């Protein structure tokens, strides 16, 4: 049981399609007392998203009978530039360039503490989930995109530019697929779900979803097997670069692609080891244990 001496921990996970809010139980933060969702309705624009967030907090107050605390943690797509306070790199495009923390604090009447959603997931898994009590944790999101967060002693590292842990846009050797970030050969362009599906098309001309490709590989289908073997090798190269710099005590692999069994096999560990300066690779590769609660739990943990 993890006990935090604090009035109440309120967290909000701002996603592209839904906004989720939760109050964690102050005596056992692995339990959520209240959980509510409202749609983001991001096509209606920035002001509407702010109003949806305010509506959610109001509804949580009503249902819980509790007053909002002085600080509320909020996980966002993209990151807040620590120098300007403006949001950047968000796939919910209307948030980019906006002073989201300031505007949210104004509309909620309390301080909004923001962090990138991958950082929130890493924080939750490092404090309440798979890597509970581990000193240095690299938390990965490997899904439709590739992101990550670094947690040390229960604290998220933000970085001087707010981009700490963003390994998804490191380059891979011999890769040149153009990326939306303006460069090419990025990890995300090779290892994300849509990139794997694209690679399978390049081999076969057939457009399949990743679960279908995985199922085909199990029947011995050659292009499907090649697609997944390539994922293993490229994921290992990408992860090796991170391990050489951070040497974390544990790595948690979240996201839809992160769910694939092949990432947790001895073959994958050997593939990572080939890229290491160190001659051993003992770091545990862990499956997340909080599922889709990680985002909102991690947001709430931002204010501890
Ligand atoms: Zn990129």
């Amino acid at each position: 049981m993890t006990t935090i001496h604090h009035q109440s921990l309120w967290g909000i996970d701002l996603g592209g399609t839904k906004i989720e809010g939760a109050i964690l139980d102050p005596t056992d933060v692995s339990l959520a007392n209240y959980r509510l969702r409202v749609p983001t309705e991001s096509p209606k624009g920035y002001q509407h998203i702010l109003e949806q967030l305010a509506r959610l907090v109001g509804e949580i107050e009503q249902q819980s009978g509790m007053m909002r605390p002085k600080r509320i943690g909020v996980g966002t797509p993209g990151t807040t530039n620590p120098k300007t306070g403006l949001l950047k790199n968000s796939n919910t495009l209307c948030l980019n360039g906006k002073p989201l923390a300031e505007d949210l604090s104004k509309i909620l009447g309390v301080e909004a503490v923001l962090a990138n959603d991958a950082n929130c997931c890493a924080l939750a898994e490092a404090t309440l989930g798979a890597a509970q009590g581990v000193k240095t944790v690299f938390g990965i999101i490997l899904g439709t995109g590739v992101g990550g967060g670094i947690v040390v002693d229960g604290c998220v590292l933000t970085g001087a530019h707010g981009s700490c842990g963003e390994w998804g846009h490191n380059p891979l050797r011999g890769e040149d697929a153009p990326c939306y970030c303006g460069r090419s050969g990025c990890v995300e362009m090779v290892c994300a779900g849509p990139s794997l599906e694209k690679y399978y098309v390049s081999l076969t001309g057939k457009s399949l979803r990743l679960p279908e490709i995985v199922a085909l590989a199990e029947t011995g289908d050659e292009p499907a097997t090649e697609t997944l073997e390539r994922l293993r090798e490229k994921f290992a190269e990408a992860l090796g670069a991170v391990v050489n710099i951070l040497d974390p005590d544990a790595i948690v692999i979240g996201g839809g692609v992160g769910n694939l069994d092949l990432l947790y096999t001895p073959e994958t560990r050997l593939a990572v080891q080939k890229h290491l300066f160190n001659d051993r690779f003992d770091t545990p590769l862990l499956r997340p244990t909080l599922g889709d609660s990680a985002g909102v739990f991690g947001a709430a943990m931002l204010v501890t």
Side-chain angles (χ1 to χ4, degrees), residues 92-161:
T92 302
L93 296 175
C94 68
L95 298 174
N96 287 325
K98 296 293 200 306
L100 183 61
E102 190 188 329
D103 288 342
L104 264 183
S105 299
K106 237 180 260 170
I107 202 167
L108 296 177
V110 296
E111 186 192 354
V113 180
L114 269 53
N116 167 257
D117 44 17
N119 284 357
C120 288
C121 289
L123 177 59
E125 291 295 342
T127 51
L128 307 170
Q132 201 173 340
V134 174
K135 184 173 174 65
T136 303
V137 179
F138 183 47
I140 294 172
I141 305 286
L142 187 61
T144 52
V146 178
I150 297 167
V151 180
V152 180
D153 290 329
C155 291
V156 171
L157 298 191
T158 311
H161 305 84

Side-chain angles (χ1 to χ4, degrees), residues 169 179 181 186:
H169 296 272
C179 182
C181 75
C186 295

